[in-house]
Amino acid sequence: GRQARDVMFSRMFGSRKPGEEGKEKDLAHLHIPSIPETSISTDYIESILTKVKEANPKEGKGTEKSEKGASAEGLRSFLASELEMAKKDFADDKLFLAADRMGKLRLFVEARGKANTENRDANQSREEDKESNKMAEQLQKAWDEVVEGDKTYQAIVSYEVRARKFLRILENDEGWSLSHKGNRLVSHWREETDTDTYSFRVAGIVDTCVLNIIPLLLETDLYPTWFPLMKLAEDLASPSRFHKVVRSMLKMPYPLLGREAMIDGRGWDVMEHNRIVISSMSVESHPDVKIPPCPKDRVRVDIKCGGFLLVPIDDNSTHVTVMFNLNPKVPYLPSSIMNFFLRHVVNQIHSRMERYSKFKPGSPYLERMANKAELYAYLEKRYQETRQKKAA
């Protein structure tokens, strides 16, 4: 009955008496706002027009002006400058800053093009409208030449789409079936309509600093030390400091074969919104590594979208949400297998994360953190910067 279930969950997740260190925190009182979608204002448009004019080269022979001092060369110079700043943010793993900068510019270019079309449709012939139309055409041309085909810009767009898809699934509460609900943990599952995929989502409080959770997620080859039922985790490539291509395998109950996934995962610094986003998905090929074939004693699953969302609460607690949308490659998923996965994987992630993030002497994570002192010092610095801004 209910008492037996309470005992089971107490064993799985631990229990604390009120008033003790690490006391219960009610998840219902924790609201995590969405990361705003990119938009532009009139003030932004005016500021961009000013920057365009300031980016103009000195006038000379052959300099073709497009609007009140703005030249085609000035437009290209301005867009190149903005793209370089976005590339710097992207290289610093600040995806949403880079995407917002370029997204605003894209909306600006589109707005000027729309105004140009409206003027033409209205057969506007005023000199002012002619100049504005000319600028819109040259702005679109400059965008196509400088930005649209740039590989880094394309990567920014692609990764933002992926990260926002992950976040939207987290934020959408429609169609989820409740697996477990408590003060510290809420988990759900959902069978996606018209697909062969299932989604699993678990959110809860981990009583440790986010800086202690990051090593668990960053040192991907050590996942078997803490992630439930994970038998194998092999780093295949590390294209950048927070970007990994990983081969992982979960043990499954008899008679099912183990489930393997080839995952491309990347962590993003979104501390301007007090969070860290780690988004991942399965890959069949990758530019940085040859994907090996799946062994006969395993089944390779397809993770459409997944990852972790970390939101620091204070120095001793972090709100962690985990979500995976995958095709388990089972023709029919019986309730017994669903319950097994929920009980032994999904509903244990937070408790094991809390347990193994309290690094004991001899922990392999302490050795990794010492060997990567510069990287972990950077993460500490970013965390402290955010705390200071929040306190100001």
Side-chain angles (χ1 to χ4, degrees):
R2 180 174 180 178
Q3 186 176 1
R5 290 197 301 272
D6 289 344
V7 170
M8 179 185 72
F9 286 126
S10 176
R11 288 174 179 170
M12 290 175 66
F13 308 120
S15 60
R16 292 180 172 83
K17 296 179 180 179
E20 290 183 335
E21 184 179 358
K23 63 183 179 181
E24 302 292 314
K25 299 178 178 66
D26 190 348
L27 292 177
H29 294 158
L30 185 63
H31 172 65
I32 302 174
S34 302
I35 297 175
E37 297 283 347
T38 300
S39 62
I40 57 175
S41 62
T42 302
D43 289 342
Y44 172 82
I45 292 174
E46 291 300 322
S47 70
I48 293 300
L49 289 173
T50 300
K51 289 181 180 179
V52 167
K53 295 165 189 174
E54 291 174 350
N56 276 328
K58 293 182 179 179
E59 291 188 29
K61 188 176 181 180
T63 301
E64 184 183 359
K65 293 185 178 181
S66 54
E67 181 182 6
K68 295 182 180 179
S71 70
E73 188 175 346
L75 293 174
R76 288 192 293 270
S77 175
F78 165 69
L79 290 176
S81 175
E82 292 291 309
L83 180 59
E84 283 305 310
M85 286 188 279
K87 287 182 177 182
K88 183 179 184 303
D89 285 334
F90 187 67
D92 287 340
D93 305 291
K94 298 172 183 176
L95 171 66
F96 287 90
L97 288 180
D100 190 61
R101 177 183 294 277
M102 299 311 297
K104 280 182 164 64
L105 280 175
R106 178 179 51 78
L107 291 176
F108 171 73
V109 173
E110 291 174 354
R112 303 300 289 186
K114 182 179 179 182
N116 182 20
T117 301
E118 291 174 350
N119 286 340
R120 285 180 174 175
D121 291 344
N123 293 317
Q124 297 287 351
S125 59
R126 291 182 304 169
E127 196 64 30
E128 183 179 345
D129 292 324
K130 289 181 179 179
E131 290 295 334
S132 180
N133 294 347
K134 190 173 183 180
M135 179 189 180
E137 293 171 358
Q138 292 193 344
L139 183 60
Q140 184 63 61
K141 183 179 179 181
W143 176 272
D144 293 340
E145 292 175 354
V146 176
V147 178
E148 194 63 40
D150 185 87
K151 290 184 178 180
T152 303
Y153 170 72
Q154 293 172 352
I156 291 171
V157 172
S158 175
Y159 277 110
E160 190 206 12
V161 168
R162 193 166 99 180
R164 284 201 180 273
K165 179 182 178 182
F166 165 67
L167 293 173
R168 288 191 183 106
I169 294 176
L170 292 189
E171 296 163 359
N172 180 7
D173 289 327
E174 294 183 6
W176 292 96
S177 298
L178 181 66
S179 170
H180 170 72
K181 183 176 183 180
N183 286 336
R184 295 177 53 77
L185 191 77
V186 177
S187 62
H188 297 84
W189 69 276
R190 182 172 71 188
E191 183 176 2
E192 305 297 347
T193 57
D194 301 324
T195 72
D196 295 324
T197 68
Y198 295 81
S199 294
F200 302 91
R201 181 181 70 182
V202 57
I205 302 295
V206 176
D207 282 334
T208 192
C209 180
V210 68
L211 292 173
N212 280 28
I213 296 175
I214 291 174
L216 296 183
L217 304 178
L218 184 56
E219 307 299 338
T220 46
D221 62 312
L222 296 179
Y223 265 49
T225 65
W226 73 274
F227 196 91
L229 297 184
M230 187 163 289
K231 185 177 180 180
L232 168 74
E234 177 187 0
D235 285 351
L236 300 181
S238 299
S240 66
R241 58 184 177 176
F242 303 134
H243 186 187
K244 299 285 186 72
V245 182
V246 181
R247 179 184 207 170
S248 64
M249 175 187 170
L250 287 182
K251 294 181 288 186
M252 297 297 289
Y254 180 83
L256 294 178
L257 296 175
R259 259 46 187 177
E260 176 181 277
M262 310 301 296
I263 302 172
D264 178 279
R266 190 156 185 178
W268 302 109
D269 177 346
V270 200
M271 292 305 285
E272 68 272 15
H273 295 291
N274 192 42
R275 67 198 71 188
I276 295 168
V277 175
I278 301 170
S279 62
S280 58
M281 64 182 291
S282 289
V283 291
E284 296 180 357
S285 61
H286 200 278
D288 294 295
V289 66
K290 182 179 179 181
I291 302 299
C294 183
K296 294 181 180 180
D297 62 345
R298 306 173 198 170
V299 175
R300 185 166 290 172
V301 301
D302 186 10
I303 298 176
K304 301 293 185 180
C305 179
F308 298 81
L309 173 64
L310 311 180
V311 180
I313 299 173
D314 52 41
D315 286 346
N316 300 304
S317 57
T318 307
H319 187 271
V320 179
T321 309
V322 187
M323 189 284 296
F324 289 97
N325 166 245
L326 72 152
N327 179 353
K329 298 296 178 72
V330 178
Y332 168 72
L333 194 62
S335 58
S336 58
I337 300 301
M338 177 72 73
N339 290 332
F340 173 88
F341 190 75
L342 288 166
R343 183 180 300 117
H344 294 286
V345 180
V346 176
N347 290 343
Q348 289 200 40
I349 292 174
H350 286 65
S351 60
R352 291 176 69 86
M353 185 178 281
E354 183 169 315
R355 174 185 172 187
Y356 286 94
S357 64
K358 303 185 188 305
F359 306 126
K360 298 179 180 180
S363 166
Y365 291 98
L366 292 177
E367 182 179 354
R368 292 290 178 88
M369 293 164 72
N371 292 338
K372 302 177 181 178
E374 185 177 350
L375 174 60
Y376 284 101
Y378 166 79
L379 293 168
E380 168 78 25
K381 179 183 176 183
R382 286 290 296 137
Y383 174 72
Q384 295 300 338
E385 287 174 350
T386 303
R387 284 190 62 213
Q388 290 169 9
K389 290 180 181 178
K390 190 176 180 180

